[in-house]
Amino acid sequence: MMSHDLTPERIDEEAQRIYEKLGFIRIHAENAQRSMQIGDRVGAQWAMRSLAANTRDAVDRWNNLRRQVRETRQRHLEMEAPDHAASTP
C-alpha cells in the first residue's frame, strides 16, 4: 500500500476528530442558546463564532476524508487495471 493511501486506522482517527468537533458544536450551540435566553449578547456572539468555526472545521475534515477515500479507491483501481489488461489475450 502506498504511503499516502488511507488505512483503517487513519480513517478511524479522522472520524474520531470529526466526532469530537460535533461535540464542540453541540456545546457551543447550547451556550449560544443559553446566552441569548439571559440576554448576554457578548457570550452569544462568542458562542456563535465558535460554533461557526467548529462547524467549518468538521465539514472541511469530512470533505477531505471523502476526497482521500475517492483518491485512494481510484489509485487502487488504476493499479489493478494493468494487471487485468495483461492477463487478457
Side-chain angles (χ1 to χ4, degrees), residues 2-83:
M2 302 170 85
S3 62
H4 53 276
D5 281 349
L6 289 178
T7 62
E9 294 81 18
R10 171 79 174 91
I11 292 170
D12 287 345
E13 290 169 5
E14 194 59 25
Q16 182 61 37
R17 287 187 190 100
I18 293 168
Y19 182 76
E20 289 168 0
K21 287 292 177 182
L22 294 175
F24 295 144
I25 290 167
R26 181 186 54 79
I27 290 167
H28 291 306
E30 290 170 354
N31 289 343
Q33 183 180 23
R34 195 171 15 258
S35 293
M36 287 186 279
Q37 288 172 344
I38 65 171
D40 179 8
R41 289 182 52 149
V42 173
Q45 288 173 346
W46 179 86
M48 292 300 286
R49 281 192 298 272
S50 296
L51 174 64
N54 279 284
T55 301
R56 279 190 303 273
D57 189 44
V59 169
D60 289 345
R61 286 179 178 277
W62 174 252
N63 288 334
N64 286 336
L65 184 59
R66 288 178 56 213
R67 178 187 49 76
Q68 290 173 356
V69 167
R70 266 194 319 272
E71 290 172 357
T72 299
R73 186 177 298 139
Q74 184 61 37
R75 277 193 299 278
H76 284 275
L77 290 173
E78 289 169 357
M79 289 180 355
E80 291 173 2
D83 295 338

